[in-house]
Amino acid sequence: MKTLRIKHVLTGLCVSAILASCGIDNFDEPDTFFSGRVVYNGEPLQVRHDAVDFQLWQPGYGNPGPVGVRLGQDGSFSSKLFKGEYKLVFTNNVGPFRTEIINEQQQDTIFFTLEGDMTMDVEVIPYYMVRNAEFSLSGNTVEASCSIEQIITGEDARNVERVTLYLNGTSFVSDNDQENYTGTDADLNNLDAISVSAVIPEDNVKDYVFARIGVKVSGVEDMIFSPVEKLER
């Protein structure tokens, strides 16, 4: 009889464990999209693909860790989340921009409630913007021009370290070595009239090239760019 009781207890524990396991596996997956852009005055910021991110915190949900959300090179983002209350924060020194201080208590933290698919533009203040970027292709040479607008001035201002024309065979173009096959630095004597050229490597057999101008700001790791442009021979 004693042996039979032990078997019943063990059987009950196994069933409980299986049910508990099934319960864990049956948690609903997140099904709500949070998407948008990081912008300055409504204009998307152009950054390096998958290098700049922000964090989402869901207070009181049981998981204390943040959800990292990375930006596309056109400043866009998209993440699949659970519904609920969220806090959006940028970590220090991420991105070629400063965040906007909302008020003294809240600082730059953005609070929002996700009740269904949601789109949001997140305003920030870049150190510089690339303006009026133009590209042309003649033979194997790409000519580019632009002006560099300084946005943050005063005691928080930073200098331009370099302006570089990058070329690549795919639409991903940046200072990442995997995202350009050549890059040429421009002369910085006149930021209002930047002019620079770069030669397409001879081993490029494609009849097109993608080009982009990037600005490196002193003391800031991430560059800000012009939009990517495709040039055809």
Side-chain angles (χ1 to χ4, degrees), residues 72-227:
Q73 62 182 1
D74 60 353
S76 64
F77 61 84
S78 182
S79 185
K80 207 172 183 180
L81 304 168
F82 293 105
K83 295 180 177 66
E85 307 283 337
Y86 284 91
K87 296 192 301 184
L88 187 159
V89 296
F90 286 93
T91 55
N92 291 334
N93 302 318
V94 170
F97 50 76
R98 290 174 45 202
T99 52
E100 288 194 333
I101 300 300
I102 299 169
N103 58 52
E104 185 175 348
Q105 182 179 11
Q106 187 173 337
Q107 293 294 306
D108 59 356
T109 300
I110 298 172
F111 297 89
F112 66 94
T113 301
L114 196 64
E115 298 176 325
D117 291 349
M118 179 177 180
T119 301
M120 175 188 290
D121 278 353
V122 181
E123 284 279 350
V124 296
I125 308 170
Y127 288 95
Y128 291 87
M129 291 289 282
V130 182
R131 300 297 192 193
N132 307 311
E134 295 185 353
F135 304 88
S136 63
L137 176 60
S138 177
N140 283 333
T141 302
V142 174
E143 302 278 353
S145 63
C146 70
S147 60
I148 308 301
E149 180 186 7
Q150 185 171 15
I151 306 299
I152 297 177
T153 58
E155 61 181 14
D156 293 327
R158 304 205 179 207
N159 294 326
V160 171
E161 186 174 305
R162 60 183 166 82
V163 176
T164 305
L165 169 61
Y166 292 105
L167 306 180
N168 201 20
T170 76
S171 60
F172 293 102
V173 188
S174 78
D175 54 322
N176 184 333
D177 290 341
Q178 305 300 316
E179 297 182 350
N180 74 76
Y181 52 45
T182 191
T184 302
D185 293 342
D187 190 298
L188 300 182
N189 284 336
N190 185 1
L191 294 181
D192 292 328
I194 293 288
S195 180
V196 60
S197 63
V199 177
I200 300 173
E202 293 181 356
D203 58 356
N204 175 62
V205 297
K206 297 178 178 176
D207 59 359
Y208 58 85
V209 65
F210 292 88
R212 200 181 196 197
I213 296 171
V215 178
K216 175 69 172 66
V217 180
S218 296
V220 179
E221 180 177 349
D222 298 303
M223 298 179 72
I224 192 161
F225 295 86
S226 68

Side-chain angles (χ1 to χ4, degrees), residues 1-18:
M1 178 64 73
K2 187 175 181 180
T3 302
L4 184 61
R5 286 180 180 171
I6 291 174
K7 286 183 177 178
H8 284 168
V9 170
L10 291 175
T11 301
L13 290 173
C14 289
V15 171
S16 298
I18 292 171

